[in-house]
Structure formats: structure tokens, C-alpha cells
Amino acid sequence: MNDYVTLTEEEKDFLVSKVICRKYLKGQYIVQQGDICKYSCFVLSGCTKTFYMDPQGQEHIVMFSIEDWWSSDIGSFINQTPADFNIQCLESTELAMFSYDVIEELYSEIPKLERFFRQVTERGLIASQKRIVRSFSLSAKEQYIYFRNQYPKIDQRIPQYMIASYLGITKEFLSKIKSQLALE
Amino acid sequence: MNDYVTLTEEEKDFLVSKVICRKYLKGQYIVQQGDICKYSCFVLSGCTKTFYMDPQGQEHIVMFSIEDWWSSDIGSFINQTPADFNIQCLESTELAMFSYDVIEELYSEIPKLERFFRQVTERGLIASQKRIVRSFSLSAKEQYIYFRNQYPKIDQRIPQYMIASYLGITKEFLSKIKSQLALE
DNA sequence: AGCAGATGTTAATCTAGATTAACATCATTT
DNA sequence: AAATGATGTTAATCTAGATTAACATCTGCT
């Protein structure tokens, strides 16, 4: 965060006093579908997956969040409505958690943060739109190659079947793609 | 916009003095892929399509913007980098255009606008994420039904082959879906 | 009126990716 | 070390949606 906003000592103290730092264990849920998402979380260490469970019980992974990423169901957080997504820790994960009430307070106390969070959201929107374009202009194989480049480390940290779910394909087909790529 | 921010008379005057209102004709481009997107545009009347032209020359429609929507390549606008998308008018279209330089000026003169644009971006991000989820949890037919409900009017205003492109399917398959739905 | 270009439909064939199921590996637990 | 459960691979078959191509309609234009 230091890269994006410069805060005075008092502002820093105020911010730190309002943020909740908490550690979750592997497997624990930060948000469950249907809950109201009370916190917007900055990942200090570890890894989370954000996923949607469809009526047929199929899991669709929307994003992975690793160190220095944000993790929350923004739709639920912003409007304080039931979450569409589950967020679960794939590893032991440390979070800096901004609660809904506190974030409004932070905006009025430290107007620079309004700008900061606008920019965070802008980057999120840009990434999300790019993902839509990829999903309909690239083949599954191309998307997997893109994924591998985008997250060179994450690939080793999470199981293949979750990568398949993130890409919107089956684990069997991902396996086929990987063996194809190995031959090339 | 009046629904989201309350401005004093001076603020209103200042805003109006900085915004460019312009009319485009059907077929004209507001942004072309590779350009730097200089304006973030609010659609006063008419309709635009935002699309990506892939290396094979295939057109992929990312969104339609009608009255009261925003239309821009935010990625390009925010970072002042070459645009990934084309934005073209499907009808004669009136826009309120906020230039990159002016928007920064507006944020510092009228801090309330910083909040307003953060909220606009948040709503955009929520919509974009929901679209991703739909694209991998709904069949083409279900997505078309969703589209028809979401934009009951747009359906009559734009050609079928563009709707197909928006849905990420071919026009022939959309035609098949429509005749299936007509029988039900 | 008649022609050209843009849009829409139908039907036959093709393919990327899904599904199913059998088997392989690897960790944990007992 | 054997057993259980979680993960990964391979191969056979199936299907949603793509492609191609022929034919309608529906413009506007001369």
C-alpha cells in the first residue's frame, strides 16, 4: 500500500488502529455464499480462492488472491447484500481486514484513501474486463498458457482441478492440454 | 448523476464548464483499438458497442451502453495506454465527455466526485464479475434469456448478430436458440 | 420497380471440450 | 505396511456449440 498513498504518521496510526489483522487456517472460510461480506481484505500472506457454487453443486473459481492482493465479494461488501461467492483459504492466510463501517470512516478522516480505493477498484475492473475478453477470444489451451505466465508461482501452490475450475474447463481436459504442451 | 451526488450551484457550473457535450453519428467511432482513450463518456442518448477485434479479425462485443450508462475503455483511460477496445455508435449518440486531464482537476476541486466515480467503478466491477460467473455457470440459452430480461429494449434496437457476439456464440446458434424458445 | 448489401434462418457436418470410468500416485492415518 | 482419501492421468464416448453453405427478408438506393 505504501507504493500508492503517502500517509502522515497520525494518518498511519489512525489507519492501523482501525484495521483488524487476523490469521485464518487452511480450509477456513472468510465469506460464505449468502452471508453479508463485512470485510474487504488485503492478503498479507497465504492464498484464498473465491468461488461460486451453482445450483447443481458445481464449483466455479472466480479468482485466486495471493500476497498483496485484495480478497472480498465486492458486490456484497459495497451493497451489504448477501454474497454470491465463497472465499476460502487454500493455505494458512494472514489478512488485513477493513470493515464496512470503518472504511466509510477512513474515507472521511483520510480523503486520500478514497482515491486509493477508487484506484484499487479501477485496477480490479480492468482485470475483470480483460478476463472476459480472454474467455471469449482464447482457446482453453491459450488461456492456460496465459494463466501460467500470469501466476508463475500459484501453479505450484494449488491443485490442478482448481486451476481447471478457474479456467472454466474440466480437470480431465486440463490434463489433456498439459500432456499436449509437454510434447511441443 | 443527480441521484448520486448533490452539488452546489458553483460546483455544478464548474462541472458543466469542464464537460464536453458532443453528438456522434451512427457508425462513428469514439475510440479505436490502439488509440489512447482520452475521454470517459456518459451516454445522454443513443447507443454504443464496445468490442474487441481479435487477431483473426473476429469481433467480440464486450458491452452495449445506452442512455445513462458509461462508455469508455477504462483500462486505456486510467493508464493512458493504447486501447484494447473499439467503441462505435450504433445510433446517433449524444455524449457528456470527461477528459483525462479534466477529471483529475474535478477530483481536486470537488472531492465528492472522487467518491462518485469510485462508486461508478464499483458498480462496473460488480457487473463485470457477475458476467464472468454467468458465462461459466449458464448455458448459451440461459444467458440469452438473462440478456433479454436485462435489456428488454436493446433487443429491438440492435441486430441479432451483435447480440450473438455479446453472448459469445455464433449468430446461427442464437437463431437456433430463438426458434427453440418460440416453441416452448 | 429492381438491384445490391446487410441481416436472418435452416440444415448438414464438424470439433472443442464434457462426461464417464478405470487406473495411478501420493499423503495421512491406523 | 495397509488402508483411506485426495489428487492426477488416460482413453472412449458424447454433446453444445461452431462452421459452412444455401436460401430468405429486409432495407435503402438509383
Side-chain angles (χ1 to χ4, degrees), chain B residues 59-125:
Chain B
E59 187 177 309
H60 303 279
I61 297 181
V62 178
M63 70 179 297
F64 298 109
S65 304
I66 51 173
E67 295 78 27
D68 297 341
W69 290 49
W70 289 85
S71 182
S72 78
D73 181 327
I74 339 118
S76 169
F77 181 74
I78 295 302
N79 301 318
Q80 292 289 292
T81 51
D84 292 323
F85 303 127
N86 301 280
I87 304 181
Q88 190 183 18
C89 298
L90 300 180
E91 303 171 355
S92 169
T93 298
E94 282 176 308
L95 299 173
M97 306 175 78
F98 295 77
S99 93
Y100 183 72
D101 309 320
V102 154
I103 217 162
E104 289 296 331
E105 207 182 322
L106 284 172
Y107 289 153
S108 39
E109 286 297 316
I110 316 175
K112 271 172 277 187
L113 288 180
E114 183 101 47
R115 161 160 305 208
F116 172 70
F117 281 101
R118 173 175 58 77
Q119 291 169 339
V120 167
T121 310
E122 283 168 354
R123 280 192 294 274
L125 176 51

Side-chain angles (χ1 to χ4, degrees), chain A residues 52 54 56 60-63 72-76 78-79 84-85 104 107-108 111 113-133 135-137 165-168, chain B residues 52 54 56 60-63 72-76 78-79 84-85 104 107-108 111 113-133 135-137 165-168:
Chain A
Y52 168 70
D54 74 19
Q56 291 82 48
H60 303 280
I61 297 181
V62 177
M63 71 180 297
S72 77
D73 181 327
I74 339 118
S76 170
I78 295 302
N79 301 317
D84 292 323
F85 303 126
E104 289 296 331
Y107 290 152
S108 39
L113 288 181
E114 184 102 46
R115 159 159 308 208
F116 172 71
F117 281 101
R118 174 175 58 79
Q119 292 169 339
V120 167
T121 310
E122 282 168 354
R123 281 192 293 275
L125 176 52
I126 293 166
S128 178
Q129 287 197 340
K130 290 199 168 163
R131 188 167 169 198
I132 292 176
V133 172
S135 78
F136 59 35
S137 67
S165 167
Y166 175 86
L167 295 173
Chain B
Y52 168 70
D54 73 21
Q56 289 82 49
H60 303 279
I61 297 181
V62 178
M63 70 179 297
S72 78
D73 181 327
I74 339 118
S76 169
I78 295 302
N79 301 318
D84 292 323
F85 303 127
E104 289 296 331
Y107 289 153
S108 39
L113 288 180
E114 183 101 47
R115 161 160 305 208
F116 172 70
F117 281 101
R118 173 175 58 77
Q119 291 169 339
V120 167
T121 310
E122 283 168 354
R123 280 192 294 274
L125 176 51
I126 293 166
S128 178
Q129 287 198 342
K130 288 199 171 164
R131 189 166 168 199
I132 293 176
V133 172
S135 79
F136 58 35
S137 66
S165 167
Y166 176 85
L167 295 174

Side-chain angles (χ1 to χ4, degrees), chain A residues 35-136:
Chain A
D35 287 358
I36 308 286
C37 179
K38 295 225 17 107
Y39 302 95
S40 186
C41 303
F42 182 79
V43 180
L44 299 168
S45 73
C47 177
T48 68
K49 69 169 175 183
T50 301
F51 65 103
Y52 168 70
M53 186 69 82
D54 74 19
Q56 291 82 48
Q58 270 258 241
E59 188 176 308
H60 303 280
I61 297 181
V62 177
M63 71 180 297
F64 298 110
S65 304
I66 52 175
E67 295 77 29
D68 296 341
W69 289 47
W70 289 85
S71 182
S72 77
D73 181 327
I74 339 118
S76 170
F77 181 73
I78 295 302
N79 301 317
Q80 292 289 292
T81 50
D84 292 323
F85 303 126
N86 300 279
I87 304 181
Q88 190 182 17
C89 297
L90 299 180
E91 304 171 355
S92 168
T93 298
E94 282 177 307
L95 299 172
M97 305 176 79
F98 296 75
S99 92
Y100 183 71
D101 310 319
V102 156
I103 218 161
E104 289 296 331
E105 206 182 324
L106 284 171
Y107 290 152
S108 39
E109 286 296 316
I110 317 176
K112 272 173 276 187
L113 288 181
E114 184 102 46
R115 159 159 308 208
F116 172 71
F117 281 101
R118 174 175 58 79
Q119 292 169 339
V120 167
T121 310
E122 282 168 354
R123 281 192 293 275
L125 176 52
I126 293 166
S128 178
Q129 287 197 340
K130 290 199 168 163
R131 188 167 169 198
I132 292 176
V133 172
R134 263 179 274 132
S135 78
F136 59 35

